[in-house]
Amino acid sequence: DSAGNVTVAADTALGDYTVTATSTVDNSKKGTATITVTAAPAISSVTVSPSTASIEQGGSRQLTASVDAVGGAATTVAWTSSDAKVAVDSAGNVSVAADTVLGDYTVTATSTVDNSKKGTATITVTAASSYKIAAITNQTLTALTQGYESGNQETRSIAVTNIGTGNLTHLSVTLSGANANDFVMTQPDSTLAGSTSTSFDIHAKDNLPAGIYTATVTASADHMTPVTFIVTQVVNLPNAPANPQNLAADVGDRQINLSWSTGSDATQYHIYMATDADLTNIVEIATVTSSTYSIQNLVNGTRYYFVVKSENSGGLSAASNQVSATPATIPGAPANVTAVAGNGQAVVTFTAPADNGGSPITGYEVTASPGNVVVIGDASPITLTGLTNGTSYTFTVKAINGAGRSAVSAQSNTVILRASDKDTDTPSQPSAPTTTGSTNTPNTGVDILVNGKVENAGTATITKRNNQTEMTVVVDQKKLDERLAAEGQYAVVTIPINQTFDIVIGELNGQMVKNMEDKQAVLEFKTDHATYTLPARQINIGAISQQVGELINLQDIKVRIEIAVPTTDTLKVVESAAAKGQFTLAAQPLNFTVRAAYGEKNVEVTKFDAYVERTIAIPDEVDPGKITTGVVVEQDGAVRHVPTKVRNINGKYEAQINSLTNSTYAVVWHPLEFSDAANHWAKNAVNDMGSRMVVNGTGNGMFSPDQEITRAEFAAIMVRGLGLKLENGATPFSDVKSEDWYSGAVSTAYSHRLISGMEDGTFRPNDKITREQAMVILSQAMAITGLKDKLLEQSADSALRPFEDAAGVSSWAQSSAADNVKAGIVVGRNGALLAPKGYMTRAEVATIIQRLLQKSGLI
């Protein structure tokens, strides 16, 4: 064209052509180029070899593709098959599944340059040949007497018959067992066509002493499952009775039952036992006239060995065949069964029984109720699927060994399955996290602080887990122990992480935790956005050791404290919960976790017996005045308040969260004002507790502050105020049913010893709660928050004396009422009356819960 672009037509003859450029000013001035036209890259055809092939079910065959190409076109092909059962790989190797339907299938090779050019092969799938012989029964050769002459022993001919469809190749027989060298055996034909037979001979060797000789004969061939049988030769003593034969053992709980074939010439039988196969420590344990005997009081799990000899006036026979057996019974029942709810499924964890019954535990049977859904798994945890959302379930577990199934475990906690806002919902399990990705070179210069003193006692490793960055700091035991020894009791061990990672882990071994516990030390794990302050005793390394194995060296248990940014899926749950609860996230949610690991065993520390402090940094752009509380967001999206206060440390604001559990925590802004509390004396307390999700309104923006409250409502508010995780276990109260709205709160309050109920075994949930009843519960709560330990020593009479109606306090409530007064939680009505028999109002409840948390330093 006018710009010098040369275009060659597709049908141009191959050869040289000239292109000329002529000056438009002086046409005598020209330049030329020689264009050589070559063949365009193209695929002429694709053929597959062989074009037809027969392959047996379960077999394979290599195909090749030939590509006729011109112009230097690539000769590569893509292989496909008409059926997934007849699979073909990228190299043309065809593999036929064992269950493929017989018939024809097409395998295609398609040019990667021109997909219109293809070659095919027809694969005919035929039935797989079978390779097997008829079973051979056990053989007992004619009995001999010691001193028999050579050649007098029986030679037995054994037939081998091919009952398969394929020809057997490399057919042979072998001897094994303790007496294998006491027999002579020939070989059958090495090749055996279908429906034909061959044979081999076997006999005992010469000059065998008295005894019973047994060996295992194994017949094998290519592609064939071996066939075995037992051959037996008895050699009796002269004049003595025949040797006992067919000695067998049947096991029970701490016992073994023996039986054998009797001889007509025997008057009695001697039974011998040993704990080793070569009978070096054989002991005669009984003499009997019958052909059975039961040995009692044995040790389950120990293998015992036995032989029997016959006796008459001619003397003792040689020994019978030797048998061994291990007494066993069913295992003990699993313990500590707990369940975690998911979407249509539940994860059940449990502790293996200490007693396996003398036989290895081969599995566990978990049963869901209602529905009796049964799942068998190898070990804890076990997931049950196919359950119904919205249904309340409990679970029991049985252990299984060779003797059978154990007694049923105690029931688990009750869980209600709920659908999440995702398609699937897999609940978290108490197992160690897995990491993927490359590991960087460890940094050996991580500083650990003990009471603020620097010790280079940490090694950091950086990895990736599920696309999140992760740093693990392993603390050096020797250096930490030396520093703790120098600092004495109550030391604070700080692991500071100054870089930003999605997941940070501090790792100590169990012995380090035990040493810290003995010194009442505190572990402080500090990152750029959070701090986790954990007294060593709250890890409870003793309980962990019992779960992974009491005899395990504590130094071999790894304890990992983790602070992690939630995964995308968990964050979606938190954001959904925020939308439903109409609150705003004020800072990055974080997961706090404590795990212990020994080999494949993992234990997660999920709850503590005292409040554990965490702090979450408040971003600079967030107004610290617009934070109401911290919350726990459960996996199912449920939200509960945890006691939280905002504090300023060195010019930086942070939320201090105190909780009795580990979970996902978030700091939120949830302002709430009740219209009917605007001019009420308890306005500030009511709105504060409402914003913290401790108390709820009565509808239409109202709180009804002067309305009296029931015992069930008070228990629920107390549980929410303390930030306790709801439990679904059964209560001992006859008038609290699992379907009642307050059942979980009452169960939780009872398990934390906040309530004890009435003398008649009831709780009376719908009765109005009196002030003295409430003060008893509050006193128990003060023990949980640690406030009771801080009270001044003062008698109940002295503490209650300022109140005009102190004499009206019931004797069972006097100590508790005094605790409330000394703590400043209850100040009396109008300053002079305790009104112990009066009913608590909703405003009073909000006020005293606020005071409890404030006086305890939790908000």
Side-chain angles (χ1 to χ4, degrees):
D1 64 14
S2 60
N5 184 54
V6 178
T7 304
V8 179
D11 58 351
T12 304
L14 306 184
D16 291 339
Y17 297 82
T18 300
V19 174
T20 303
T22 303
S23 169
T24 57
V25 175
D26 181 355
N27 59 13
S28 67
K29 299 300 189 287
K30 302 178 180 182
T32 62
T34 299
I35 304 298
T36 300
V37 176
T38 60
I43 303 298
S44 300
S45 65
V46 178
T47 57
V48 176
S49 179
S51 59
T52 61
S54 293
I55 306 177
E56 289 185 356
Q57 293 167 318
S60 63
R61 181 71 180 271
Q62 179 68 56
L63 303 181
T64 59
S66 297
V67 180
D68 184 7
V70 296
T75 59
T76 54
V77 297
W79 292 92
T80 57
S81 172
S82 61
D83 193 286
K85 294 286 187 179
V86 182
V88 59
D89 65 17
S90 60
N93 185 54
V94 179
S95 299
V96 177
D99 58 350
T100 304
V101 176
L102 304 185
D104 291 339
Y105 298 84
T106 301
V107 172
T108 302
T110 302
S111 167
T112 58
V113 174
D114 182 354
N115 60 15
S116 68
K117 299 298 188 292
K118 302 178 180 181
T120 62
T122 300
I123 304 298
T124 301
V125 176
T126 59
S129 297
S130 59
Y131 302 89
K132 55 185 176 179
I133 61 174
I136 304 174
T137 59
N138 292 337
Q139 306 289 314
T140 300
L141 306 181
T142 303
L144 298 167
T145 301
Q146 182 174 289
Y148 59 91
E149 294 183 6
S150 174
N152 283 351
Q153 62 267 52
E154 179 188 8
T155 296
R156 184 74 56 88
S157 180
I158 310 297
V160 180
T161 302
N162 184 349
I163 60 173
T165 60
N167 294 337
L168 296 178
T169 56
H170 299 107
L171 177 65
S172 65
V173 289
T174 56
L175 282 163
S176 61
N179 302 128
N181 293 328
D182 297 312
F183 291 89
V184 175
M185 187 170 65
T186 64
Q187 288 293 326
D189 294 337
S190 62
T191 300
L192 188 61
S195 302
T196 62
S197 297
T198 183
S199 65
F200 64 95
D201 296 338
I202 189 168
H203 64 79
K205 287 184 175 180
D206 295 340
N207 302 317
L208 293 179
I212 294 181
Y213 299 87
T214 62
T216 299
V217 181
T218 301
S220 59
D222 292 345
H223 310 299
M224 186 187 84
T225 301
V227 171
T228 62
F229 65 93
I230 303 297
V231 61
T232 302
Q233 176 68 71
V234 177
V235 180
N236 295 312
L237 285 169
N239 304 318
N243 304 341
Q245 296 184 44
N246 305 316
L247 178 62
D250 180 40
V251 300
D253 182 11
R254 301 180 63 210
Q255 70 177 34
I256 293 176
N257 303 311
L258 299 177
S259 62
W260 57 91
S261 298
T262 61
S264 59
D265 53 350
T267 57
Q268 60 184 6
Y269 302 91
H270 295 257
I271 301 165
Y272 302 86
M273 182 177 77
T275 55
D276 51 88
D278 59 4
L279 305 179
T280 54
N281 296 308
I282 194 168
V283 175
E284 182 175 352
I285 58 173
T287 301
V288 298
T289 57
S290 66
S291 61
T292 61
Y293 185 70
S294 180
I295 304 97
Q296 305 289 327
N297 300 317
L298 300 175
V299 178
N300 283 339
T302 298
R303 181 164 289 277
Y304 296 88
Y305 299 82
F306 301 92
V307 293
V308 177
K309 295 181 181 180
S310 303
E311 184 181 28
N312 64 13
S313 58
L316 279 174
S317 74
S320 68
N321 58 296
Q322 181 188 113
V323 296
S324 65
T326 304
T329 186
I330 60 173
N336 304 319
V337 182
T338 59
V340 178
N343 180 11
Q345 65 180 25
V347 177
V348 178
T349 62
F350 49 88
T351 302
D355 180 11
N356 66 4
S359 170
I361 293 176
T362 57
Y364 295 89
E365 179 183 277
V366 182
T367 302
S369 180
N372 289 324
V373 176
V374 176
V375 170
I376 294 178
D378 294 333
S380 174
I382 293 174
T383 301
L384 288 84
T385 59
L387 304 180
T388 303
N389 285 334
T391 300
S392 176
Y393 286 96
T394 58
F395 303 87
T396 56
V397 185
K398 294 179 182 178
I400 306 170
N401 69 1
R405 285 164 167 75
S406 72
V408 67
S409 69
Q411 280 189 342
S412 72
N413 56 298
T414 301
V415 295
I416 300 176
L417 308 189
R418 302 185 188 282
S420 69
D421 57 354
K422 301 176 290 183
D423 292 336
T424 59
D425 181 20
T426 304
S428 64
Q429 303 179 18
S431 60
T434 59
T435 60
T436 58
S438 59
T439 300
N440 294 340
T441 303
N443 173 5
T444 57
V446 178
D447 290 333
I448 307 297
L449 309 179
V450 181
N451 286 342
K453 299 173 184 177
V454 177
E455 182 69 40
N456 187 253
T459 300
T461 302
I462 300 172
T463 57
K464 292 198 73 174
R465 186 205 308 178
N466 300 328
N467 296 320
Q468 291 183 299
T469 58
E470 177 183 275
M471 171 185 268
T472 300
V473 176
V474 179
V475 181
D476 184 287
Q477 180 178 351
K478 183 175 182 295
K479 292 181 179 179
L480 179 61
D481 287 348
E482 289 174 352
R483 178 58 64 184
L484 287 174
E487 295 297 321
Q489 298 293 101
Y490 310 106
V492 176
V493 178
T494 304
I495 304 176
I497 307 295
N498 299 319
Q499 298 168 275
T500 299
F501 294 90
D502 296 321
I503 305 168
V504 291
I505 299 171
E507 181 178 301
L508 302 84
N509 65 48
Q511 188 59 56
M512 296 161 70
V513 174
K514 181 64 170 64
N515 294 345
M516 290 179 64
E517 181 179 328
D518 292 342
K519 292 183 176 297
Q520 298 175 275
V522 174
L523 179 65
E524 185 181 64
F525 195 29
K526 182 176 291 188
T527 74
D528 60 341
H529 48 261
T531 300
Y532 193 6
T533 304
L534 185 64
R537 76 174 187 85
Q538 290 298 332
I539 298 175
N540 200 351
I541 193 64
I544 290 172
S545 177
Q546 289 181 350
Q547 292 185 64
V548 300
E550 293 184 4
L551 300 180
I552 291 172
N553 191 331
L554 289 179
Q555 194 166 339
D556 296 331
I557 300 174
K558 294 181 179 179
V559 179
R560 299 184 178 102
I561 297 90
E562 176 179 304
I563 303 174
V565 174
T567 62
T568 301
D569 288 346
T570 302
L571 193 57
K572 287 180 180 178
V573 173
V574 176
E575 290 170 346
S576 176
K580 293 176 183 177
Q582 297 183 332
F583 57 81
T584 303
L585 297 176
Q588 170 70 63
L590 293 171
N591 296 327
F592 294 82
T593 309
V594 178
R595 290 188 180 93
Y598 174 78
E600 295 182 357
K601 293 184 178 180
N602 297 280
V603 177
E604 184 167 351
V605 181
T606 57
K607 57 185 179 180
F608 310 104
D609 62 12
Y611 282 92
V612 172
E613 178 185 310
R614 305 152 183 79
T615 65
I616 296 178
I618 307 301
D620 293 338
E621 65 271 19
V622 174
D623 182 357
K626 290 188 176 181
I627 292 174
T628 49
T629 190
V631 296
V632 166
V633 182
E634 306 289 7
Q635 288 181 319
D636 60 1
V639 176
R640 59 183 167 90
H641 152 269
V642 278
T644 304
K645 63 182 178 182
V646 176
R647 62 188 187 186
N648 187 311
I649 304 295
N650 299 323
K652 294 287 186 180
Y653 286 94
E654 59 186 24
Q656 175 191 323
I657 300 173
N658 292 278
S659 175
L660 297 169
T661 62
N662 273 331
S663 192
T664 300
Y665 290 82
V667 180
V668 303
W669 170 233
H670 180 249
L672 197 63
E673 291 187 3
F674 296 101
S675 58
D676 58 345
N679 298 311
H680 197 276
W681 63 266
K683 169 187 173 181
N684 292 336
V686 167
N687 289 338
D688 183 30
M689 291 297 99
S691 298
R692 291 178 182 271
M693 309 177 201
V694 175
V695 298
N696 299 321
T698 54
N700 299 319
M702 309 285 282
F703 183 71
S704 306
D706 297 318
Q707 179 179 310
E708 292 166 343
I709 198 166
T710 67
R711 289 169 54 80
E713 290 170 331
F714 185 82
I717 292 173
M718 180 61 69
V719 166
R720 289 197 296 268
L722 294 173
L724 304 180
K725 182 176 182 178
L726 279 182
E727 301 174 5
N728 295 314
T731 72
F733 307 124
S734 58
D735 55 349
V736 177
K737 309 301 181 186
S738 60
E739 62 268 23
D740 295 330
W741 71 263
Y742 46 78
S743 173
V746 172
S747 177
T748 305
Y750 178 77
S751 70
H752 284 81
R753 301 181 181 178
L754 292 171
I755 58 176
S756 56
M758 305 299 181
E759 292 181 355
D760 62 357
T762 63
F763 180 67
R764 302 178 192 174
N766 296 316
D767 285 2
K768 294 176 182 178
I769 192 166
T770 65
R771 285 168 58 83
E772 64 180 5
Q773 289 172 348
M775 284 189 279
V776 170
I777 296 173
L778 284 162
S779 179
Q780 294 298 102
M782 290 161 60
I784 294 175
T785 67
L787 179 58
K788 186 176 286 191
D789 295 335
K790 302 174 185 178
L791 299 182
L792 297 175
E793 290 290 335
Q794 185 182 14
S795 68
D797 288 342
S798 176
L800 299 178
R801 190 174 299 127
F803 298 95
E804 297 175 1
D805 56 351
V809 178
S810 300
S811 58
W812 49 265
Q814 287 182 356
S815 175
S816 297
D819 288 340
N820 280 261
V821 170
K822 287 187 284 186
I825 294 174
V826 173
V827 295
R829 287 180 174 171
N830 300 320
L833 298 175
L834 269 180
K837 302 297 191 293
Y839 296 124
M840 289 287 273
T841 68
R842 290 170 55 81
E844 288 175 328
V845 170
T847 302
I848 62 174
I849 295 295
Q850 183 192 53
R851 288 176 183 161
L852 169 67
L853 299 177
Q854 289 174 337
K855 300 289 185 181
S856 300
L858 298 177
I859 64 172

